[in-house]
Amino acid sequence: MATLLRIDSSPMGAASVSRHMSETFVESWKKAHPGGTVVTRDLTKSGLVSINAEWVAAAYTPAESRTAEQKAALATSDELLAEIDAADELAIGVSMHNFNIPSVLKLWVDQVVRVNRAFSYADGKPKGLLMGKKATFLVATGGAYGPGSGMESLNFIEPYLKTLFGFVGFGDVVFHTAGGAMALNYGADRAEFLQPHDEAVAALAAAHA
């Protein structure tokens, strides 16, 4: 049976547009994958911390030579990578923070984009090791940063994540962005705003059947 890993990174709880879209994706995905498994990871509740020198040293030490302390340093990374390994696809909710991804999502990235687990340079060239998986990014931005907009050059989310996930081996990376979400703070009707995004996100999930 197929497995979907849902990851949320917005701190806004029920008010979050990206979380709403990830929930919509899950609902449609379940219909397209009867009996499938959904694993949920809320990064705002995962207690992730920055990597440090000990983490880096452990990552570059061959697994069979790691000390107990080094294994402990990589325990969270191992757990997060195991979730990716077990998943056929990922659905990641992303809210724009200062033109880029939330800090908790960057902490997750640093834990999983790990040498000899997510990528290698065994032949002198970078090679992604997380092959054969799909990733759908459900992005919410306060302003409008889409193609052709005056703010397009300030959107670093899509180029960053597309480059990063391609680097580690994902061959199928899709984005759906709900731009202009700030309007909800100024009285825009939430259901009306979300309706076209619900339809688009549901179609994306169904297309992955």
Side-chain angles (χ1 to χ4, degrees), residues 141-207:
T141 64
Y145 299 87
S149 70
M151 303 282 278
E152 180 181 3
S153 65
L154 297 180
N155 182 1
F156 297 99
I157 289 177
E158 187 165 337
Y160 172 67
L161 291 175
K162 186 178 293 184
T163 299
L164 181 74
F165 275 72
F167 179 78
V168 297
F170 279 70
D172 190 348
V173 179
V174 177
F175 290 81
H176 177 79
T177 299
M182 183 62 71
L184 297 176
N185 295 343
Y186 296 97
D189 183 83
R190 183 175 177 87
E192 183 177 343
F193 176 85
L194 291 173
Q195 187 265 337
H197 301 295
D198 285 343
E199 292 179 358
V201 169
L204 281 176

Side-chain angles (χ1 to χ4, degrees), residues 3-80:
T3 298
L4 171 70
L5 174 59
R6 171 189 174 178
I7 298 173
D8 287 304
S9 61
S10 169
M12 297 305 292
S16 167
V17 170
S18 66
R19 285 177 183 267
H20 174 89
M21 292 193 294
S22 64
E23 181 63 27
T24 298
F25 188 98
V26 166
E27 291 174 358
S28 183
W29 188 90
K30 285 180 177 178
K31 293 176 183 177
H33 298 82
T37 300
V38 177
V39 176
T40 300
R41 167 70 65 171
D42 186 342
L43 298 182
T44 68
K45 299 178 180 179
S46 295
L48 301 182
V49 298
S50 299
I51 63 173
N52 54 25
E54 290 74 23
W55 187 101
V56 174
Y60 277 91
T61 299
E64 65 275 11
S65 301
R66 288 178 188 139
T67 65
E69 291 77 13
Q70 288 178 319
K71 292 177 181 177
L74 294 177
T76 295
S77 175
D78 287 338
E79 178 183 355
L80 298 176

Side-chain angles (χ1 to χ4, degrees), residues 10 16 29 57 66 103 105 107 109 115 119 135 138 145 171 184 202:
S10 169
S16 167
W29 188 90
R66 288 178 188 139
S103 58
L105 183 53
L107 291 174
V109 164
V115 67
F119 69 94
L138 306 163
Y145 299 87
L184 297 176

